[in-house]
Amino acid sequence: MGATGLATPYLTLAAILFCIGLYGALSKKHAVIVLLSVELMLNSVNLNLVAFSKLGVNPGLTGQIFSLFNITVAAAEVAVGIAILIALNRNKGTTDVNEMDSMKR
């Protein structure tokens, strides 16, 4: 079993998590659930980065460093996303993504 054979369970788990997050982001109507689904997708990417960084052909710290940057971007995305959701909830009174069309004329 090679180095990529050791990473197969991690990659399978990451693919399953990404598919669950994609399903949630595309099918759910509640905006908070959509944000949580996007975070699940970002975490599956982090799992892939760390698995390839640790168990890939050329192990190193590159994937782990990219994973830290990804976590930083995800934290900023959540802060901005929640702020937008609170503002829209105050204006519209709902968190349904189909009702959030304030930029449309």
Side-chain angles (χ1 to χ4, degrees):
M1 187 185 298
T4 55
L6 295 173
T8 303
Y10 299 109
L11 301 180
T12 305
L13 176 63
I16 291 169
L17 288 176
F18 190 85
C19 290
I20 292 170
L22 185 64
Y23 173 75
L26 294 177
S27 67
K28 301 301 177 185
K29 294 184 187 281
H30 199 275
V32 176
I33 302 298
V34 172
L35 280 176
L36 287 173
S37 298
V38 170
E39 290 299 316
L40 189 62
M41 291 166 57
L42 287 172
N43 283 329
S44 71
V45 170
N46 286 338
L47 184 59
N48 270 335
L49 288 170
V50 171
F52 278 125
S53 174
K54 192 73 175 167
L55 302 170
V57 178
N58 294 325
L61 291 176
T62 307
Q64 295 171 9
I65 293 170
F66 278 128
S67 179
L68 286 175
F69 282 126
N70 195 4
I71 290 170
T72 305
V73 169
E77 176 252 335
V78 165
V80 171
I82 293 294
I84 291 171
L85 284 180
I86 289 172
L88 285 172
N89 190 21
R90 286 182 181 168
N91 289 337
K92 297 250 182 206
T94 183
T95 58
D96 187 7
V97 293
N98 292 330
E99 298 294 324
M100 295 182 188
D101 57 355
S102 62
M103 293 183 73
K104 293 181 182 177
R105 292 266 171 189

